């Protein structure tokens, strides 16, 4: 028999599309439909069910953008369908090619109990299996007309991303509302043929197995009566039994399937819509778990569980029951699947604290894994944080998106900056929305880098972002591939089962040291500047609030705001989600984020102000509070009477135009263009600025990436650059504080920039405050500092330390990092002298190196650091970053790493002045500036214990004495969740603990209340 695969494939496709799939529902009868449109925002379920409905016909356009329509569908099961499997088929106007990015629905019974979600690949609702005939059917559908933002031309600007600009045009057409007979035999034939047809396409041309399956498919199609598919389906299935029963060899690659629905906590929809997406998906998955006894579904993000607990308790009850059975698995142990590059040290720690604690409190479950399939790269400080939270594994997928270098492992140990190693897995299936297609399964087996020494991988399986999760079709396909010759084997397992087995199988995996840099989405370090500034400011306000509230509580008995701080932390953590903080969400999300950050700042400032006033007491002395971990003005994390003013810095005119600023430590020359042409370290007799160059140079680039506008910046943006050297104003600025300062105003395009360059008394740094009224489109604004430093690497602050990156491009791995992340500082150094550039709110930057040759060149090296200030992408928010922005940077010549750490804290934690009676001694003092206190707070369990988290910040070994100025009954080492670590306790004498720390070591101390 001729078995040309291509001919059989063509025949199979047509017969499936035109005859067999339509026969899955051989009989149907229309349902009656009526609708009530909710005014404004979504309403509670009971209100939606009670809405006054009006009749509506199939074919009607419905749903203004972001509105909610409550459909009521009613009908009667025909008596002649008695004994048959009957379903309602409810198509709201779905596009099956785009699950998760369009309209969705949640089906309720008249009593308000949830049934399941409606999604493009999940349009059915079971009525009876079997039906008795004559049943009255009444279903209510809460239908969300979320507009399609990510269309087939995904990067076109659209006003649909905010309800305030989206208009009222109906988005969808009601397509089908029927009662149908479901022919399970035909449906199973579809699954049989799809699995085998997809497998054949992946087998080698000369494979005996390929020919065997091709012949079986051909026989099966011969057995189909095209005029009576339902009557002949059983016979057609019989022809496939043998090839579906041939088991896979013991050497086959093994795939652990984990039911999954990756749901972005905000992205192309607002936060309020994610609440409903989660409810729809969990309603779907709990229903599917009841039908499929082997199925396992994993769901991450404690915030999403908390949302349905608060807003959809009827769905949450089903979730809790499924968790208790071990079928629905809370995964990841984080509050949200956050970005991991930009969150500060404490924020990254608190993601695990709040996530793991929620899962323990709600379900009695502690997660061993971090679950971050979609996050845009991973900071090198993360392994230590995962371990300190009591976890030991990491799963991600996104690194497979890198566009330049292919990551060399799928299973490996990841080593962080302190030497901590975390067992890590990248699923070789290369998707976190696996649908069990043969091409996906074959790709996982072929692609797996560790074949030969390991043979296990994981496949997150299901449609995310509102696509409804795993489908019954996915489960059916997985069942057929449990052991099928020619295919990898597939079995449903929990993440813990997979990691336990994979780690046992591969006890000595390869090691990757340092950050997991994603060679894509680099512009997320800059897009939506005000969201990033809100995050940075919130992190530091939370530090201050905890510090002063704890001090006031222990010193004065003032109440500690446990509930307020817990709530605010969770809000900040939510906004670190990997499409909010990175600036890649729609306008609505960022508009709300700006308002949220403003509200948070008000609340935290009230907490800080109240605590400081309680500590200061009644008096007329001006006290200066220092919240930074390093001594400033003679005070370390306390308050002292304002010092006598230092001798003022001097300002004079510069020969050739411009001004000279001098405070005895630095002499800074600003030329007639408002650029810094000299920053001279007087004690070191060392120039900072590269000869022939100028710093504080604004530079503007065209910025139109090949795709993913808000996410990406492509290296070719550097091909064109405009130096913004024209000035509208250059004049001295009298700040009234003894500073020497110059004001510079520039106009470019339709934007303006105003800068103040300031040299304060006794500070060895030049402060640069920049205000930009930004109205550009598809442009990238940077601030350049060309430095006379010869260094082949530089340091960028990351969580609990810093990471080194190359200044050169020797390899493609180094060249790919043309835009990278830093927190509060970058630092470059020769062996005896260095420079720091610190900031209060920017993350993206680039560092390049060039040799000064040619005319006027001295052969030395110029290393240029550029801070990324603003972008202007038009998708998904067409008005990204338009408006006024303020940034604060500082150039610190002669700075060591230790200095850079201190300067970075000082610029982000400005002093506060309060009228009071007496100085406030620090609650905790550390005698080594290399050891930094990252948090000082009362224990979350409201015991009144004092928690101090600190770390070694310079990358060296360090000894430190930590002294607490409050009665304490003992001290223990704890994990991030403030739980004791074993029986070992530090020596504690006269309120002092002596520590010896490894480079970048993180330590949490808990002092028991006396």
């Amino acid at each position: 028999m001729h078995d040309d695969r291509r001919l059989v494939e063509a025949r199979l496709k047509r017969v499936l599309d035109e005859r067999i799939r339509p026969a899955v529902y051989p009989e149907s009868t229309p349902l009656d439909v009526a609708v009530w449109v909710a005014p404004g925002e979504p309403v509670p379920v009971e209100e939606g069910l009670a809405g006054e409905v009006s009749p509506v016909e199939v074919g009607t356009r419905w749903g203004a953008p972001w509105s909610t329509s409550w459909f009521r569908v009613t009908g009667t099961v025909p008596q002649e369908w008695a004994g048959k499997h009957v379903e309602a088929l409810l198509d709201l106007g779905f596009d099956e090619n785009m699950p998760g990015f369009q309209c969705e629905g949640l089906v309720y019974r008249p009593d308000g109990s949830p049934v399941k979600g409606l999604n493009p690949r999940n349009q059915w609702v079971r009525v009876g299996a079997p039906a008795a005939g004559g049943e009255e059917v009444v279903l209510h559908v809460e239908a969300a007309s979320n507009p399609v933002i990510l269309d087939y031309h995904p990067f076109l600007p659209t006003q649909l991303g905010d309800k305030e600009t989206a208009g009222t045009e109906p988005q969808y057409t009601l397509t089908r509302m029927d009662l149908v007979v479901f022919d399970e035999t035909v449906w199973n034939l579809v699954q049989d043929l799809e699995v085998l047809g997809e497998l054949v396409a992946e087998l080698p041309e000369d494979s005996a197995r390929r020919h065997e399956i091709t012949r079986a498919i051909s026989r099966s199609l011969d057995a189909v009566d095209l005029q009576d598919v339902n009557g002949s389906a059983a016979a057609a299935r019989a022809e496939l039994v043998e090839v579906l029963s041939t088991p896979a060899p013991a050497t086959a690659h093994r795939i652990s399937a984990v039911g999954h629905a990756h749901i972005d906590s905000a992205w192309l929809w607002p936060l309020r819509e994610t609440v409903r997406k989660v409810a729809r998906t969990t309603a779907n998955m709990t229903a599917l778990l009841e039908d499929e006894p082997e199925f396992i579904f994993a769901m991450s993000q404690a915030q999403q569980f908390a949302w349905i607990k608060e807003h959809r308790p009827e769905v949450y009850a089903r979730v809790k029951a499924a968790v208790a059975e071990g079928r629905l698995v809370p995964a990841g142990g984080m509050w949200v699947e956050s970005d991991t590059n930009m969150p500060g040290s404490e924020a990254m720690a608190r993601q695990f604290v709040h996530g793991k604690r929620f899962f323990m409190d709600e379900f009695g479950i502690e997660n061993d894994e971090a679950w971050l399939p979609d996050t845009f790269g991973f900071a090198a400080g993360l392994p230590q944080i995962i371990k300190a939270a009591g976890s030991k594994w990491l799963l991600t997928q996104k690194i497979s998106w890198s566009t330049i270098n292919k990551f060399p492992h799928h299973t490996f140990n990841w080593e962080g900056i302190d030497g901590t190693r975390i067992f890590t897995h990248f699923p070789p299936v290369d998707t976190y929305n696996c649908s069990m297609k043969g091409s996906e399964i074959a790709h996982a087996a072929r692609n797996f880098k560790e074949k030969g020494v390991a043979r296990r991988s994981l496949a997150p399986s299901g449609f995310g972002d509102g696509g409804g999760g795993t489908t019954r079709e996915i489960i059916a396909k997985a069942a057929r591939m449990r052991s099928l010759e020619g295919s990898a084997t597939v079995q449903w397992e929990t993440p813990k089962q997979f990691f336990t087995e994979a780690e046992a199988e591969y006890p000595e995996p390869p090691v990757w040291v340092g950050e997991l840099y994603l060679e894509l989405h680099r512009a997320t370090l800059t897009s939506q500047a005000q969201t990033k500034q809100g995050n940075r400011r919130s992190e530091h306000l939370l530090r201050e609030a905890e510090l002063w509230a704890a001090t006031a509580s222990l010193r004065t008995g003032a109440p500690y705001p446990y509930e307020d701080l817990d709530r605010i932390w969770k809000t900040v953590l939510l906004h670190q989600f990997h499409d909010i903080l990175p600036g890649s969400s729609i306008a609505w999300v960022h508009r709300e984020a700006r308002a949220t950050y403003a509200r948070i700042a008000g609340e935290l400032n009230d907490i800080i102000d109240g605590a400081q006033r309680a500590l200061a007491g009644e008096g007329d002395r001006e006290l200066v509070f220092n919240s930074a971990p390093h001594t400033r003005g003679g005070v370390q994390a306390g308050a002292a009477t304002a010092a006598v003013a230092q001798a003022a810095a001097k300002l004079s005119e510069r020969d050739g135009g411009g001004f000279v600023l001098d405070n005895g430590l630095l002499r800074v020359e600003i030329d007639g263009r408002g650029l810094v042409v000299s920053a001279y370290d007087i004690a070191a007799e060392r120039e900072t600025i590269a000869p022939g160059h100028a710093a504080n140079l604004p530079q503007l680039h065209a910025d139109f990436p090949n795709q993913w506008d808000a996410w990406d910046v492509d290296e070719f943006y550097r091909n064109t650059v405009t130096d913004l050297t024209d000035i509208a104003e250059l004049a001295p600025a009298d700040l009234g504080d003894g500073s020497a300062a110059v004001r510079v105003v520039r106009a470019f395009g339709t934007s303006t920039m105003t800068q103040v360059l300031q040299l304060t008394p006794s500070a060895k740094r030049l402060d640069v405050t920049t205000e930009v009224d930004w109205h550009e489109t598809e442009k990238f604004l940077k601030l350049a500092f060309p430095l006379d430093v010869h260094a082949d690497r530089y340091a960028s602050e990351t969580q609990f330390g810093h990471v080194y990156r190359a200044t050169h491009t020797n390899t493609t791995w180094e060249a790919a990092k043309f835009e990278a992340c830093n927190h509060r500082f970058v630092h470059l150094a020769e062996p005896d002298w260095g420079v720091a550039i610190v900031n209060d709110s920017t993350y993206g930057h680039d560092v390049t190196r060039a040799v000064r040759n040619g005319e006027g060149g001295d052969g030395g090296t110029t290393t240029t650091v550029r801070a990324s200030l603003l972008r202007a992408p038009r998708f998904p928010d067409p008005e990204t970053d338009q408006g006024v922005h303020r940034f604060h940077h500082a150039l610190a010549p002669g700075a060591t790493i230790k200095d850079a750490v201190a300067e970075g804290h000082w610029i982000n934690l400005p002093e506060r002045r309060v009228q009071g009676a007496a100085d406030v001694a620090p609650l905790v003092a550390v005698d080594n500036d290399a050891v930094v206190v990252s948090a000082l707070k009362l224990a979350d369990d409201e015991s009144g214990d004092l928690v101090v988290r600190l770390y070694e910040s310079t990358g060296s070994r360090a000894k430190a004495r930590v002294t607490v100025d409050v009665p304490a009954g003992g001290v223990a080492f704890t994990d991030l969740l403030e739980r004791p670590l074993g029986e070992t306790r530090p020596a504690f004498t006269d309120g002092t603990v002596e520590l010896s720390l490894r480079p970048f070591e993180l330590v949490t101390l808990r002092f028991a209340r006396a």
Side-chain angles (χ1 to χ4, degrees), residues 18-38:
E18 298 184 21
R19 292 290 191 274
I20 301 178
R21 288 195 186 98
V24 170
Y25 298 113
E27 300 177 74
S28 67
T29 186
L31 288 160
D32 293 323
V33 187
V35 66
W36 173 73
V37 179

Side-chain angles (χ1 to χ4, degrees), residues 537-559:
R537 187 68 180 130
S538 297
E539 289 179 350
H540 288 85
L541 286 171
L542 276 162
R543 173 197 173 87
E544 291 187 86
E546 289 182 337
L547 165 64
W548 301 121
T551 305
S553 178
L554 295 176
R555 291 273 174 75
T556 73

Side-chain angles (χ1 to χ4, degrees), residues 78 112 188 312:
N188 274 305
R312 289 290 191 268

Side-chain angles (χ1 to χ4, degrees), residues 922-982:
L923 192 61
V924 174
V926 182
D927 71 347
N928 185 341
D929 283 346
V931 178
V932 173
V933 174
S934 70
L936 192 157
K937 60 189 288 292
L938 295 192
D940 290 342
D941 61 8
E942 303 189 22
S943 62
D945 290 358
L946 176 65
V947 173
V948 181
R949 189 149 34 248
L950 43 81
Y951 67 100
E952 197 291 314
S953 67
T954 69
S956 304
R957 294 187 181 267
K959 294 184 180 296
R961 292 167 58 88
V962 181
T963 302
V964 293
D965 188 19
V966 65
V971 64
F973 292 118
T974 75
D975 65 7
L976 295 180
L977 279 73
E978 302 166 6
R979 302 175 297 189
L981 291 172

Side-chain angles (χ1 to χ4, degrees), residues 179 398 490 547 678 882 895 914 932 941 945:
L179 281 178
K398 202 69 170 190
V490 178
L547 165 64
S678 175
Q882 301 299 295
V914 178
V932 173
D941 61 8
D945 290 358

